[in-house]
Amino acid sequence: MSTAFSAMTRPIQLAERINRIEPSATMAAVAEADKLRQQGIDVVDATAGEPHFSTPEHIKEAAIAAIRGNFSRYTPVGGTAELKDAILKRHAADFGSAYKREETCASVGGKHALFNAISVLVDHGDEVILPVPYWVSFKDMVNYAGGKCVLLKADEGQGFRVTALMVARLVTPKTKLIILNSPSNPSGAVMSPEDMTEVVRLAHERGIWVISDECYVYLNYTGENFSVGELNDYRDQFLVVGSLSKTYAMTGWRLGYTLGPAAVIGAMQKLQSQSTSNPTSIVQKAAVAALSGSQQCVAEMREEYIRLRDHLVAGLQAIPGIKCQMPEGAFYAYPNVSAFFGKGGVKCGADVAHGLLHKAHVATVAGEGFGTTEHVRFSYATSMENIDKALERIKGYLGSL
Ligand SMILES: Cc1ncc(COP(=O)(O)O)c(C=O)c1O
């Protein structure tokens, strides 16, 4: 009896590495909004990190055919040859890249690909240059691998610009990796092809790795779409990570990929072989249909995001005190709300997000999770009606401070 009791109350000794990371701030915001909704409150949700569209029909049909055709066994760890070829052809057609089968690996979402890539590149004590604001998971993936994030504040006045010069100032002998994410979550900022090329060139010169997270590459509204994968001369020093989640409205399906040198891809596949094994066989067939089929669906969703963005940003910019850069990609606006600090007890972005949720019933994600205290992230992957409702409530709340 006493043994059982002491076993129940004994503190659980988890591995040290799990205490180096935090739960996702985005997930926490979603959970808080859910709590209010369960109380019957009409919450307008601007937290969504995913498309509001359904997966296109031809992709769903391919998955159904795969189930009916019993495509239900293990596949090679990094994906079937058919899928790898589809990934390579899509990228070559869109960006003129020239990767081979052994230079790509499919994973269980872009997040999984990034986790594997960071795990095989970053050692204890390595420094990783990470532009701020950053997507929540980069920091935790680096910490989990035992690395140290060196934060680089992007220039908000210039659309959250990051240049090679800014990166160069932070390089030390311990710098192992630079993480780029364009279009960016949370800011929606798009790096110019010139700035990206300069960062990659600098990294190549110094023997530093670059991971270019291009999960939103097809949601670039500048008309000048660019992938680091185009930079053939420097390809032995960078990885490109892509995902079908946002491009084809397939977040729940979980399919991402990496392009890079065969030795790194091999190491990532080795890690994957000891954890998840292959991405779901059926999803691989759906992914082939997505990548090889008509890209009209992508163009249509992109057009709609532009319409939604223009509406939300115009509405935000019309609210006195809000400063909002025009996001050039992804589906987020990241306004600066510091003009409200000191009013109505508000001291930081987290207070604004808290007030918006509890007083105006608009769910957003506070900038703190992305490394800045002056911002709040709004997702516009929602209907025009929801955006209008959110804008009215935001205006009312901020005006009352
Ligand atoms: C910047 C960025 N990278 C990667 C991902 C991972 O997406 P997935 O794992 O669904 O491919 C996300 C998802 O929100 C993201 O915002």
Side-chain angles (χ1 to χ4, degrees), residues 49 108-112 114 135 138 181 183-185 213 215-216 242-246 251 254-256 332:
V108 187
K111 192 182 252 183
H112 185 214
L114 288 161
W135 175 52
F138 292 138
N181 172 217
S184 152
N185 175 7
D213 175 350
C215 288
Y216 293 92
S243 169
L244 275 66
S245 287
K246 324 286 173 169
T251 45
R254 314 306 303 131
L255 204 295
Y332 310 102

Side-chain angles (χ1 to χ4, degrees), residues 301-321:
M301 289 190 265
R302 188 166 44 233
E303 284 310 305
E304 180 61 8
Y305 286 130
I306 292 174
R307 240 168 48 86
L308 294 165
R309 172 198 66 168
D310 290 349
H311 193 65
L312 174 67
V313 174
L316 288 173
Q317 285 172 342
I319 297 174

Side-chain angles (χ1 to χ4, degrees), residues 280-347:
T280 306
S281 57
I282 292 148
V283 173
Q284 290 189 52
K285 285 285 188 191
V288 170
L291 293 161
S292 320
S294 162
Q295 300 300 294
Q296 184 58 28
C297 55
V298 181
E300 282 168 12
M301 289 190 265
R302 188 166 44 233
E303 284 310 305
E304 180 61 8
Y305 286 130
I306 292 174
R307 240 168 48 86
L308 294 165
R309 172 198 66 168
D310 290 349
H311 193 65
L312 174 67
V313 174
L316 288 173
Q317 285 172 342
I319 297 174
I322 283 196
K323 275 187 280 167
C324 187
Q325 295 286 331
M326 179 55 104
E328 292 185 312
F331 37 65
Y332 310 102
Y334 201 58
N336 186 312
V337 291
S338 59
F340 301 95
F341 296 177
K343 296 183 182 171
V346 162
K347 290 187 286 300

Side-chain angles (χ1 to χ4, degrees), residues 74-78 105-109 112-113 115-116 268-280:
Y74 292 131
T75 75
V77 169
C105 166
S107 298
V108 187
H112 185 214
F115 185 87
N116 286 351
M268 290 173 65
Q269 286 187 159
K270 181 165 75 169
L271 177 59
Q272 194 162 302
S273 77
Q274 301 297 8
S275 52
T276 59
S277 295
N278 60 270
T280 306

Side-chain angles (χ1 to χ4, degrees), residues 44-46 48 50-53 304-305 308 312 331 379-388 390:
V44 182
D45 194 352
E50 61 183 339
H52 56 305
F53 299 107
E304 180 61 8
Y305 286 130
L308 294 165
L312 174 67
F331 37 65
S379 164
Y380 51 86
T382 185
S383 66
M384 208 56 105
E385 295 71 46
N386 270 346
I387 290 179
D388 277 333

Side-chain angles (χ1 to χ4, degrees), residues 167-169 171-172 175 201-209 237:
V167 171
R169 286 194 200 113
V171 171
T172 76
T175 308
R201 197 205 312 268
L202 167 93
H204 190 263
E205 225 172 69
R206 312 263 181 115
I208 298 166
W209 283 94
Q237 211 61 54

